[in-house]
Amino acid sequence: MKGKGGNAGSRFPLSFWEVAAACTVVLGFVLCLLGVYLTMPASDYSFLKLPRTLEDLQILRDHLETYTIDYTAQVLVGYCVVYIFMQTFMIPGTVFMSLLAGALFGVLKGVALVVFTATAGASSCYFLSKLIGRPLVFSLWPDKLSFFQEQVARRRGGLLNYMLFLRVTPTLPNTFINVASPIVDVPYHIFFLATLIGIIPAAYVTVKAGIALGELQSIGDLYDFNSIATLFLIGIVSITPALMSKSESQ
C-alpha cells in the first residue's frame, strides 16, 4: 500500500488532454509573436530576451527605444503578448516588464499598459487554471490553498474588498491568487474588478521607477518601507467597509 501511494503521489498531475490544452495556448502566443517578428525590419534581434537583471533590462530598453518610435504598434503588441504569456504561465520577471513600460512609454501610458496586460494575463491564468489547474495547485501549494479557501469562505459577503486587499498588499503572491481563485470559487467578475483596481498602486510605483531606470541599484529599491506601508494602508482602507458591515450585522 505504501509503495502504491508513493507512485500515485509522484505521478504527473495532468492528463494528456490537459497538457494538450496548455500546449494549444502556448502555440497561440508563439504565433502572435511570430506575426510581430515578421512585420519588423530585417535586423539583429539577439538582444530580445526576457530580462532577468537590471543590466539585461537596460540593454533591452536601449535597443527598443528606437523601435518604439518607428514601430509603435509592433512593440506594443509584442510587449502585451509577452507580458500576458508570462502571467498566464506564472513565469517570474513581470516586474522587469513593468519597469520597461515606464522606460519606454512614460508614467500614464506605462501604468495603463501594465494594468491592461496584468489584468489580461491574470484573467488568462484564471481560466486556464479553471480548466487544468486543480491538480497542480493541490500538488504545489496544499497548505496555502487551504488557508485561501477558508478565508474566501468566511468573507463571501465582502469578497471584493478582501480580494482588493490581497491585490494591493503582498499578503499572498499574485501568481498564487491568479491560479487558485477559480479553484476556491472566487467569481470571475470579482476577480477581474479586484485585479483591475488593486494592481494600480503597485503598477504606478514600478512604472514610475522605470523612468529613472539607471538610478536603480536592485529590484529591492522599488519597495522600501514607505512604499510597503503605503500599500498596506491602501489595503486596510479597501477592506474596512467589509469589516464594518460584518460588525454591524453582529
Side-chain angles (χ1 to χ4, degrees), residues 29-30 32-33 36 76-86 117:
F29 283 109
V30 170
C32 288
L33 286 176
V36 171
L76 278 173
V77 172
Y79 178 95
C80 290
V81 171
V82 171
Y83 201 120
I84 293 170
F85 177 82
M86 293 176 72
T117 51

Side-chain angles (χ1 to χ4, degrees), residues 30-244:
V30 170
L31 291 175
C32 288
L33 286 176
L34 181 62
V36 171
Y37 177 77
L38 292 176
T39 61
M40 296 291 283
S43 182
D44 178 16
Y45 293 108
S46 59
F47 64 88
L48 286 177
K49 63 178 182 178
L50 293 180
R52 294 302 179 193
T53 66
L54 288 176
E55 184 180 356
D56 290 343
L57 185 60
Q58 289 168 356
I59 293 172
L60 186 60
R61 186 273 313 271
D62 293 341
H63 281 87
L64 284 180
E65 278 180 332
T66 302
Y67 289 101
T68 303
I69 297 172
D70 298 330
Y71 300 93
T72 306
Q74 288 92 331
V75 172
L76 278 173
V77 172
Y79 178 95
C80 290
V81 171
V82 171
Y83 201 120
I84 293 170
F85 177 82
M86 293 176 72
Q87 285 278 79
T88 300
F89 292 97
M90 302 179 289
I91 299 173
T94 52
V95 64
F96 292 111
M97 297 295 291
S98 299
L99 287 167
L100 183 62
L104 294 178
F105 303 106
V107 175
L108 291 180
K109 292 179 181 178
V111 169
L113 184 61
V114 169
V115 170
F116 166 74
T117 51
T119 303
S123 298
S124 179
C125 184
Y126 177 99
F127 288 114
L128 187 63
S129 178
K130 193 169 187 175
L131 179 65
I132 67 173
R134 187 175 296 273
L136 284 176
V137 178
F138 274 103
S139 174
L140 294 173
W141 303 292
D143 295 335
K144 193 175 292 186
L145 183 65
S146 297
F147 170 79
F148 189 35
Q149 193 164 27
E150 179 186 343
Q151 294 300 313
V152 168
R154 287 175 52 195
R155 304 175 192 277
R156 284 290 173 190
L159 190 54
L160 177 59
N161 298 94
Y162 177 63
M163 292 299 293
L164 274 171
F165 174 80
L166 292 181
R167 283 303 194 190
V168 171
T169 66
T171 305
L172 285 174
N174 278 324
T175 298
F176 172 78
I177 296 171
N178 294 343
V179 75
S181 289
I183 295 170
V184 299
D185 297 325
V186 174
Y188 176 68
H189 69 280
I190 289 179
F191 175 88
F192 174 81
L193 286 174
T195 303
L196 183 68
I197 299 169
I199 63 176
I200 291 176
Y204 174 78
V205 170
T206 311
V207 169
K208 188 177 179 182
I211 296 176
L213 193 56
E215 298 177 9
L216 279 179
Q217 300 299 315
S218 71
I219 293 299
D221 294 342
L222 284 173
Y223 297 104
D224 55 15
F225 175 79
N226 289 335
S227 298
I228 294 175
T230 301
L231 292 177
F232 267 105
L233 180 61
I234 296 172
I236 291 170
V237 170
S238 70
I239 204 172
T240 297
L243 294 176
M244 292 178 64

